[in-house]
């Protein structure tokens, strides 16, 4: 039995913090302890109390004065796009055709997939992200590579082979039948193996024929406990093309409704230009709108109205994500910094507690994995990030004038990146320092 006892300033959320003074929304220990046994948190609280429960021979690791938080969660990211990130000058459809589809063609080669899966999860860990909802390429081997690497690291990840059978080059197309068969085989092999979870992944309405969306709906009915992930209402040209392809349906959202793809585990990337009817339908279904600020800015897609969607009568469940390689950074800190600015452009401000809630518990709730990750609660998996608000000279200098936890969190969000991530624990194992050696 492997036991470790972490010491540091612990922060974990109980619910959405309404204001900066809403102290009962989070639990903060200035001298906190986390006792970890076999990859799980078995005790959490004040260090002096937790230490009493630690037996002989427990390994003690003192992270003071750093913060210990639940590992970050990225609700939408494309692992095959590591060599697409930073592709210049295009909006969504041109960006897909010029850069993304050709790049994803390379994942026909299983060895390439294995290499990128390894480097991708390295990058996630370096940036403090311990759980992702990932798109693989259309190739079954890319999903096998991703899950094998994720399982090897004992990470809790959600992923799926993209289903796409039209409007893209031959090298990234499947067929309704092969997309169904490959998905079925991958679910069989990987869903529930260790910490792996499968997401049925029709890329978006433009690249799936009605026959393929029918098959995706069948998969959702056959596996109601699985996630479904796709893209929705990201860009005006995308919306217009979708309307041409599905003229008999009411709007873009209706395409996914019609084929039975909207449920409580449906992750809808972007959702920028929704009508009120569409937002109502998504809310009624309990589906999740995924906010991808760096991507939406980079591709010039638009400003997701986070606060309006959160506050509307039929509120939307919201997650936050990098959307690499449309997104421009692997860091969820950088993501929430850009998210803050997008929300500011809509005339509102997100407070730092709300941001860190979103990165941790909020995303865990949105991905329906809260029983396992997203908090530092007892009996959850020990996925933990250690943050250093003095990681760079500029941060150190700014910290000289900082007095409150809220200010410190806001500094981490505004100037922080992978350098602020001192350590990452994946199921109780120190994964970042381990990688550096
Ligand atoms: N819509 C369909 N595919 C993609 C993708 O790979 N990235 C983004 N941002 N939008 C998409
Ligand atoms: Zn995407």
């Amino acid at each position: 039995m492997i036991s470790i006892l972490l010491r540091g300033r612990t922060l974990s959320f109980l619910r959405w913090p309404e204001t900066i003074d809403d102290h009962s929304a989070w639990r903060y220990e200035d001298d906190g302890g986390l006792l970890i046994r076999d990859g799980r948190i078995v005790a959490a609280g004040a260090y002096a109390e937790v230490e009493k429960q630690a037996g002989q021979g427990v390994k003690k690791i003192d992270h003071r004065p750093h913060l210990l938080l639940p590992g970050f969660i990225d609700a939408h990211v494309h692992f095959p796009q590591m060599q697409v990130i930073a592709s210049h000058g295009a909006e969504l459809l041109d960006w897909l055709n010029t850069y993304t589809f050709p790049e994803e063609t390379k994942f026909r080669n299983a060895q390439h997939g294995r290499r990128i899966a390894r480097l991708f999860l390295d990058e996630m860990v370096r940036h403090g992200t311990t759980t992702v909802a990932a798109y693989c390429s259309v190739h079954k081997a890319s999903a096998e590579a991703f899950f094998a690497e994720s399982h090897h690291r004992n990470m809790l990840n959600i992923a799926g082979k993209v289903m796409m059978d039209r409007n893209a080059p031959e090298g990234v197309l499947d067929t309704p039948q092969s997309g169904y068969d490959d998905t079925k085989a991958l679910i069989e092999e990987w869903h529930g193996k260790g910490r792996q979870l499968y997401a049925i992944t029709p890329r978006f309405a433009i690249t799936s024929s009605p026959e393929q969306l029918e098959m995706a709906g069948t998969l959702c009915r056959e596996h109601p406990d699985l996630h479904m992930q796709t893209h929705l209402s990201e860009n005006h040209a995308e919306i217009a093309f979708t309307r041409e392809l599905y003229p008999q349906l009411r709007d873009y959202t209706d395409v996914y409704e019609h084929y039975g793809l909207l449920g409580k585990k449906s992750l809808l990337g972007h959702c920028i230009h929704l009508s009120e009817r569409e937002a109502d339908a998504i809310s009624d279904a309990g589906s999740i709108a995924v906010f991808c600020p760096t991507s939406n800015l980079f591709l010039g897609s638009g400003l997701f109205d986070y606060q309006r969607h959160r506050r509307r009568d039929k509120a939307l469940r919201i997650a936050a994500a990098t959307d690499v390689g449309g997104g421009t950074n692997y860091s969820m800190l950088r993501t929430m910094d850009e998210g803050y600015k997008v929300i500011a452009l809509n005339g509102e401000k997100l407070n730092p507690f709300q941001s860190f809630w979103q990165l941790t518990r909020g995303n865990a709730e949105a991905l329906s994995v809260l029983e396992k990750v997203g908090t530092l609660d007892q009996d959850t998996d020990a996925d933990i990030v250690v943050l250093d608000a003095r990681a760079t000279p500029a941060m150190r200098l700014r910290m000289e004038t900082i007095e409150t936890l809220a200010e410190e969190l806001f500094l981490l969000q505004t100037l922080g990146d992978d350098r602020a991530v001192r350590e990452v624990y994946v199921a109780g194992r120190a994964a970042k320092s381990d990688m550096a050696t």
Side-chain angles (χ1 to χ4, degrees), residues 291 293 297 303 334-350 410 413-414:
F291 179 31
L297 293 170
L303 305 176
R334 306 284 355 102
T335 298
M336 289 315 291
D337 179 43
E338 298 302 304
Y340 175 86
K341 297 171 195 172
V342 167
I343 292 164
L345 283 167
N346 281 323
E348 304 245 9
K349 299 285 190 285
L350 206 62
F410 197 54
Q413 173 183 300
T414 308

Side-chain angles (χ1 to χ4, degrees), residues 76-78 81 135 231 234 269-270 292 295 323-324:
H76 178 129
V77 61
H78 298 258
Q81 295 179 13
Y135 288 65
H231 297 84
E234 177 176 3
H270 307 287
C292 307
S295 171
D323 192 32
V324 162

Side-chain angles (χ1 to χ4, degrees), residues 293-369:
T294 72
S295 171
N296 298 344
L297 293 170
F298 180 75
L299 294 174
S301 303
L303 305 176
F304 178 81
D305 201 340
Y306 183 100
Q307 295 290 43
R308 185 171 66 86
H309 289 315
R310 200 178 58 74
R311 288 206 202 106
R312 66 197 302 280
D313 284 344
K314 289 192 174 189
L316 294 192
R317 298 172 67 199
I318 298 174
T322 63
D323 192 32
V324 162
T328 53
N329 205 288
Y330 292 95
S331 166
M332 289 305 293
L333 296 171
R334 306 284 355 102
T335 298
M336 289 315 291
D337 179 43
E338 298 302 304
Y340 175 86
K341 297 171 195 172
V342 167
I343 292 164
L345 283 167
N346 281 323
E348 304 245 9
K349 299 285 190 285
L350 206 62
N351 83 49
F353 290 111
Q354 292 166 338
S355 287
F356 279 80
W357 170 89
Q358 182 71 73
L359 295 182
T360 57
R361 187 183 180 113
N363 273 1
E365 284 178 6
L367 298 185
S368 303
V369 289

Side-chain angles (χ1 to χ4, degrees), residues 417-428:
D417 52 30
D418 52 317
R419 292 169 296 179
V421 175
R422 287 291 282 250
E423 184 57 281
V424 176
Y425 293 89
V426 172

